[in-house]
Amino acid sequence: MTDQPVTTFAPLPEGDAPRYDFRSAEPHWQRAWAMAGCFHVSDLPDDGRPKYYVLEMFPYPSGKIHMGHVRNYTLGDVVARYKRARGFSVLHPMGWDAFGLPAENAARERKVHPAQWTWDNIAAMRAELKRMGLSLDWEREFATCDPLYYGQQQRLFLDMLRAGLAERKESWVNWDPVDGTVLANEQVIDGRGWRSGALVEKKKLSQWFLRITDYAPELLAALDGLDRWPERVRLMQANWIGRSEGARLRFDLTEPVAGIGDVEVYTTRPDTLFGMSFLAIAPEHPLASHIAGQNPAAAAFIAECRRLGTSEAAIEATEKQGFDTGLRVRHPFEPERSFPVWIANFVLMEYGTGAIFGCPAHDQRDLEFARKYGLPVVPVVLPPGAADPRQGAVEKAYDGPGTMIGSGFMDGLATEVAKAAAIARIAQLGMGSGVTNWRLRDWGVSRQRYWGCPIPVIHCAQCGVVPVPDEQLPVRLPEDVSFDRPGNPLDHHPTWKHVACPACGQPARRETDTFDTFVDSSWYFARFCSPKSSAPVDRDAADRWMPVDQYIGGIEHAILHLLYSRFFIRAMRQTGHVGIDEPFQGLFTQGMVTHESYRGADGRWLYPGEVDIQADGVARHRETGEAVTIGRVEAMSKSRRNTVDPGAIIDRFGADTARWFILSDNPPERDMQWTEAGVAGAFRFTQRVYRLAESVALMAASANVPDTFSSVALELRRAAHRAVVSVTAALESFAFNVAVARIYALATAIADSERPTTDDAAGLAWARREAMEIMARLMAPMMPHLAEAVYKKLVPDAADMVAQRPWPEADLALAAADVVTIAVQVMGKLRGTIAMPTGAAANAVLAAAEAEPNVARLLEGKRVVKRIHVPDRVVNFVVAG
RNA sequence: GCGGGCGUGGUGGAAUUGGCAGACACGCCAGAUUUAGGUUCUGGUGGCGCAAGCCGUGGGGGUUCAAGUCCCUCCGCCCGCACCA
């Protein structure tokens, strides 16, 4: 499977100490699980067990796994193995998010075909993942770049097209003029294309969109039902969807231009209409474009705005700028008054209607704009308890609630009442109406890239957009493509795009854009239910397995992937492919894996493997001996070289050690720090557990439960059954670090029981075996290989494996203590403890507490006015004076 | 600016949800075993104090018999969104 590592690391004792050889044990048990089919489930099982679908976000096949993957897949595997032991039929699949830009970059830079590069990477990463001992059903594996997958995606798209959920429309996009492609917002850095370095332009292009906005209300409302999602993620999605209540209203131009008679505005503050002093439109607004056609100065202003864009950095640096068009609009309530129309760089075409009315007194942006261009500032909202604001200059726009002034029919009304009154008047005048506005925009899925799923349509001069007929699916990517030229290789291909129109038979052109790779990842979890199906999903299999009960991944997907998937599953519901609303019932977002960073004397970053840290904390270069500066603990990244290769860790310490350490360090939702000392500690524990198992196995124990146990044996049994209770609770609540701590405690309890007792050899031997076997099963979700080795040591002729055994049952009566320690307080301060039988009566406990010497001393001569008794926990005496 | 989260020993963290703060681990100290050891084992380890004891969960205030936990207030750090009208 893998080469035996060559390493000089030898942390184990010589001599006769037993030694757990993970290098042979881990591959052995991995083979045994595979041969027994422990982790395979069928699409439509008939086993009577409840289903449980646990899924980790599938990886992009970059070629190597990193520690983030190790953490992600270890967390998922703990859940999968635990749920399986609890009697669930567990679906736990793995696949590859295989389309994307890096493959094309590799093709350009290394002259290797994207498909070759991708499949090689998949093979390498599959081998690495298999070494981790994950309980995956590998029979379900697929890659999104396989036509068997993306062909089904094309079917889904065509169904959506027929259902009106997909459409082609013009929109403003980020355009890289050098690479000749659209870029996602994330690929624009400081206004420049991330590859070409060219200034990105705003360009109006015809692109494919999925109508996610149709589902905006439902996507928002359903967040409330996702009670097993982190609050943080739900809030982020709610903000992204961005519902706001307001009004749309029309402002008539005093003199219409070229058929444009009015400008529509969206506002959340119709109550402040009487404070208006200007109207502003976005540089991309149709009216602005029209004006630019006649006015070179306006055209120049718009071009400048377009060049600067609206990136965060640009906004910080750019002050508000405007261009007075000379046009004027009438006030909707007072048609005799009119206001200037400006083109303003701070108005966004994408939000609302791309036009606003400016009310400087009650909006900070409008105020800054008005100050710059000498426009009036007219307060119309009086803050509660404030004097008339017209007395002085307005320092800062007041955007809070208050009482209306100078606002005609609204005078004296409270802000919220005034909003309703303004909307009613607008509607009555036929100028507009109250509306709900959404920040969410339709999802542009067209990409001018080769390595993606072809969009299955044909453009015909006669028939327009024609879907590729079913029998011609999948539309396969051509293999003979050239990356010599910038731009989209599909568009450059000599023959691929030239096809006959399926409708009229005339020469037509195949769509050469491919889908955004987020489309691929928006339904893969549904495909896992029936990965071989000739339909996108087998409806029965989807009904059986969906939704995903527990999804696990990084917080970086809080919006994009998770929101797209929530939309996609609804679109699939609408087109009859699934019967559910939400794809992911439970979501867990893990923290990042971090590490110290190191820099050499010349400032270059060094890998942890190049650095030796001495006992005094001084760091030196392993080979040159030069001084090394220890930097901050940061997320592992290639650029800082503070990465640790999981493969090397598994070579040196084994998969169980890596899994155990990554779980033990801290709660999984927080960032964890990878440390050499931590790994070494985890490794020592694996050895300790195995030695313990050997010592337990050496004591012959009878098959039958002994009649009596000594107190030492009974205490061990109690510790074991308590561990079952506490580890179970910890795993249920994702407190894996606590589960680890409880197992450490059980190991110590077993070790402590080793002292020989003459009176109860049989009982102790039996109790130690029981405890050790319980421990093997409790640690199996985290250290599955070691658990098997321990079990085999205890029961050499066992017919089954831990992976096939149920979760241990706690004997609750045994786990319950018969004696408890009760804290005794005087005036709320701890003054002593007493041991009492569990559930002892209040009067008995209070009497014993009062008799406790130190307590008795403190109560001497005092009058006790109150006695608090919390059963089995605490007693508190309140004394007078 | 808006929204959210977090502050507990030298370190990561635990605390049955208002009931013995510091479980468990790392590190450190002491001792034992070993031909050395990133080996194994034993004991110790919040601070001050010889001690009884006092102090202690970012600071201050409050509620309560009892507060890491609840309330108010301030400080610090982290994350997300952001000319969203």
Side-chain angles (χ1 to χ4, degrees):
Chain A
M1 188 175 180
T2 47
D3 295 336
Q4 287 299 301
V6 180
T7 171
T8 54
F9 182 74
L12 298 169
E14 304 275 327
D16 60 356
R19 169 174 173 158
Y20 171 56
D21 180 12
F22 68 86
R23 282 173 188 137
S24 59
E26 291 187 347
H28 169 79
W29 293 112
Q30 286 160 18
R31 279 192 298 272
W33 295 326
M35 280 167 63
C38 292
F39 313 131
H40 174 65
V41 287
S42 59
D43 292 1
L44 296 167
D46 185 22
D47 56 13
R49 291 183 297 164
K51 74 97 179 178
Y52 195 88
Y53 186 0
V54 55
L55 183 68
E56 302 92 63
M57 291 178 182
F58 68 162
Y60 178 78
S62 60
K64 274 184 106 52
I65 63 170
H66 53 66
M67 279 301 170
H69 291 128
V70 174
R71 196 178 197 196
N72 194 183
Y73 301 132
T74 298
L75 293 173
D77 202 46
V78 170
V79 174
R81 287 178 181 271
Y82 170 69
K83 287 292 177 181
R84 214 175 273 119
R86 291 306 298 256
F88 288 88
S89 184
V90 173
L91 176 60
H92 188 212
M94 179 57 71
W96 309 97
D97 188 13
F99 275 135
L101 274 170
E104 283 187 65
N105 295 343
R108 285 179 212 278
E109 289 155 19
R110 293 180 232 170
K111 306 292 176 205
V112 55
H113 194 278
Q116 184 67 45
W117 184 84
T118 301
W119 287 108
D120 286 351
N121 285 349
I122 287 173
M125 287 180 74
R126 184 193 298 115
E128 287 197 279
L129 285 184
K130 288 201 169 185
R131 292 185 67 204
M132 285 182 62
L134 304 169
S135 65
L136 292 163
D137 183 359
W138 282 104
E139 291 178 43
R140 290 173 186 277
E141 175 189 4
F142 61 77
T144 56
C145 63
D146 188 328
L148 292 174
Y149 181 80
Y150 72 69
Q152 299 299 339
Q153 184 163 304
Q154 291 167 346
R155 275 176 218 281
L156 286 177
F157 173 76
L158 293 177
D159 282 351
M160 291 183 195
L161 185 60
R162 282 185 274 271
L165 284 164
E167 66 178 349
R168 197 169 166 79
K169 65 181 178 188
E170 280 213 315
S171 75
W172 291 97
V173 293
N174 303 305
W175 178 256
D176 184 325
V178 172
D179 275 359
T181 184
V182 168
L183 295 180
N185 289 333
E186 301 78 41
Q187 293 156 2
V188 181
I189 299 158
D190 291 335
R192 292 173 181 273
W194 67 301
R195 273 183 56 79
S196 68
L199 282 170
V200 167
E201 299 169 357
K202 290 240 165 192
K203 196 165 175 177
K204 209 165 195 182
L205 279 183
S206 208
Q207 304 267 289
W208 283 101
F209 285 85
L210 296 183
R211 296 186 51 90
I212 190 170
T213 53
D214 285 3
Y215 280 104
E218 189 183 330
L219 288 168
L220 181 68
L223 287 171
D224 285 341
L226 296 176
D227 54 358
R228 288 179 49 231
W229 278 43
E231 183 62 20
R232 190 155 69 118
V233 175
R234 291 194 286 170
L235 273 163
M236 284 164 75
Q237 290 213 354
N239 290 339
W240 188 265
I241 296 168
R243 178 193 153 100
S244 76
E245 292 285 353
R248 271 179 189 242
L249 71 158
R250 209 176 68 223
F251 284 81
D252 291 329
L253 287 166
T254 52
E255 292 169 34
V257 288
I260 302 175
D262 58 68
V263 181
E264 193 176 33
V265 156
Y266 172 74
T267 180
T268 55
R269 296 298 302 273
D271 53 311
T272 62
L273 267 166
F274 283 97
M276 174 176 185
S277 57
F278 63 95
L279 187 139
I281 60 176
E284 296 87 4
H285 194 278
L287 180 60
S289 308
H290 176 79
I291 292 162
Q294 296 163 347
N295 183 336
F301 176 76
I302 292 166
E304 177 66 8
C305 291
R306 191 170 295 172
R307 192 181 68 76
L308 288 170
T310 48
S311 73
E312 199 171 322
I315 290 158
E316 290 292 328
T318 313
E319 62 176 315
K320 308 246 172 322
Q321 285 180 28
F323 179 88
D324 189 349
T325 63
L327 300 175
R328 295 186 76 83
V329 289
R330 296 184 198 285
H331 194 280
F333 297 151
E334 297 174 310
E336 67 282 5
R337 295 174 64 203
S338 73
F339 299 91
V341 176
W342 289 69
I343 301 168
N345 65 344
F346 69 94
V347 181
L348 304 175
M349 191 61 219
E350 305 85 51
Y351 189 79
T353 60
I356 61 159
F357 79 83
C359 177
H362 303 293
D363 183 289
Q364 188 59 33
R365 297 155 300 180
D366 297 348
L367 182 63
E368 287 168 26
F369 192 76
R371 283 282 147 76
K372 174 154 181 177
Y373 293 106
L375 296 159
V377 179
V378 184
V380 290
V381 180
L382 200 57
D388 188 333
R390 280 171 290 192
Q391 297 303 318
V394 178
E395 294 290 324
K396 211 177 149 205
Y398 176 73
D399 57 6
T403 308
M404 304 311 300
I405 53 171
S407 293
F409 67 91
M410 288 185 278
D411 274 351
L413 297 179
T415 297
E416 286 307 312
V417 181
K419 281 183 187 176
I423 289 171
R425 177 66 64 94
I426 289 163
Q428 180 199 334
L429 293 170
M431 305 291 288
S433 60
V435 294
T436 302
N437 193 59
W438 304 87
R439 185 182 171 279
L440 186 68
R441 283 178 273 154
D442 277 333
W443 176 15
V445 293
S446 298
R447 295 289 179 272
Q448 293 72 42
R449 299 287 185 185
Y450 166 71
W451 194 233
C453 171
I455 298 175
V457 297
I458 290 161
H459 299 278
C460 172
Q462 300 299 314
C463 313
V465 172
V466 182
V468 172
D470 250 23
E471 63 275 12
Q472 290 178 26
L473 294 178
V475 176
R476 287 171 177 270
L477 284 172
E479 286 173 23
D480 53 334
V481 285
S482 160
F483 293 92
D484 295 343
R485 280 200 275 165
N488 183 359
L490 289 180
D491 203 36
H492 304 153
H493 193 279
T495 56
W496 186 75
K497 67 180 172 186
H498 301 297
V499 289
C501 171
C504 68
Q506 291 300 304
R509 190 180 65 81
R510 194 183 281 292
E511 170 72 62
T512 57
D513 285 353
T514 54
F515 284 120
D516 180 1
T517 56
F518 276 106
V519 176
D520 311 340
S521 56
S522 290
W523 70 286
Y524 77 103
F525 41 86
R527 180 71 181 170
F528 273 140
C529 301
S530 52
K532 313 279 194 290
S533 174
S534 57
V537 293
D538 178 285
R539 180 62 193 267
D540 290 335
D543 286 348
R544 158 74 183 178
W545 291 109
M546 290 294 288
V548 175
D549 294 276
Q550 186 64 60
Y551 198 35
I552 306 172
I555 188 74
E556 67 273 17
H557 293 106
I559 293 177
L560 291 169
H561 163 57
L562 291 168
L563 187 63
Y564 291 152
S565 298
R566 294 182 64 223
F567 158 68
F568 223 83
I569 216 72
R570 286 171 167 82
M572 288 172 71
R573 179 192 65 193
Q574 187 179 328
T575 49
H577 291 285
V578 295
I580 54 162
D581 299 339
E582 286 290 341
F584 312 120
Q585 275 297 301
L587 172 69
F588 189 88
T589 52
Q590 64 182 72
M592 292 183 300
V593 183
T594 66
H595 197 282
E596 279 180 337
S597 52
Y598 307 102
R599 292 189 115 149
D602 55 359
R604 73 187 192 287
W605 298 104
L606 298 171
Y607 287 107
E610 299 177 281
V611 177
D612 266 328
I613 315 244
Q614 301 164 2
D616 56 5
V618 174
R620 303 206 163 274
H621 193 282
R622 182 156 289 175
E623 274 145 29
T624 66
E626 69 173 306
V628 169
T629 309
I630 301 179
R632 296 194 342 185
V633 174
E634 296 181 80
M636 286 188 180
S637 79
K638 280 179 200 149
S639 60
R640 272 183 224 93
R641 299 197 167 187
N642 62 339
T643 55
V644 174
D645 173 29
I649 294 295
I650 294 174
D651 286 345
R652 219 167 123 182
F653 299 101
D656 281 342
T657 292
R659 294 169 60 125
W660 186 252
F661 172 54
I662 218 161
L663 292 165
S664 67
D665 188 61
N666 67 351
E669 68 273 16
R670 293 195 209 167
D671 289 353
M672 76 157 294
Q673 189 183 351
W674 187 273
T675 62
E676 301 302 306
V679 187
F683 180 77
R684 281 198 298 273
F685 184 65
T686 63
Q687 298 299 327
R688 190 176 148 212
V689 167
Y690 194 74
R691 281 199 308 276
L692 204 52
E694 292 218 317
S695 97
V696 169
L698 281 175
M699 285 172 96
S702 66
N704 300 321
V705 186
D707 293 333
T708 58
F709 292 97
S710 63
S711 61
V712 173
L714 205 56
E715 271 311 307
L716 179 59
R717 294 201 66 202
R718 182 164 288 141
H721 285 266
R722 280 186 181 165
V724 174
V725 174
S726 58
V727 171
T728 304
L731 292 184
E732 288 285 349
S733 59
F734 267 77
F736 298 146
N737 56 325
V738 179
V740 165
R742 303 298 179 220
I743 289 170
Y744 269 112
L746 177 57
T748 300
I750 297 172
D752 286 350
S753 71
E754 193 160 5
R755 70 188 100 120
T757 52
T758 49
D759 59 330
D760 182 32
L764 187 60
W766 194 91
R768 297 192 84 216
R769 271 182 185 266
E770 181 194 34
M772 196 71 215
E773 197 197 310
I774 283 176
M775 190 169 123
R777 288 197 274 164
L778 292 181
M779 72 189 194
M782 306 170 226
M783 294 199 285
H785 313 87
L786 181 59
E788 299 290 0
V790 166
Y791 182 57
K792 185 75 181 170
K793 184 63 76 181
L794 295 176
V795 192
D797 54 353
D800 59 357
M801 292 182 280
V802 178
Q804 296 162 310
R805 303 199 67 204
W807 195 244
E809 292 277 350
D811 181 336
L812 293 177
L814 185 59
D818 50 4
V819 174
V820 288
T821 303
I822 295 176
V824 184
Q825 302 175 337
V826 177
M827 295 298 282
K829 283 195 188 301
L830 182 70
R831 297 300 179 181
T833 58
I834 53 173
M836 294 296 289
T838 304
N843 53 5
V845 174
L846 288 168
E850 260 172 292
E852 202 277 335
N854 197 39
V855 174
R857 187 176 60 81
L858 285 157
L859 293 181
E860 183 80 46
K862 300 272 175 55
R863 189 166 59 89
V864 177
V865 295
K866 201 168 181 183
R867 294 173 169 82
I868 311 287
H869 172 240
V870 181
D872 295 341
R873 291 212 188 283
V874 74
V875 166
N876 190 9
F877 295 106
V878 184
V879 296

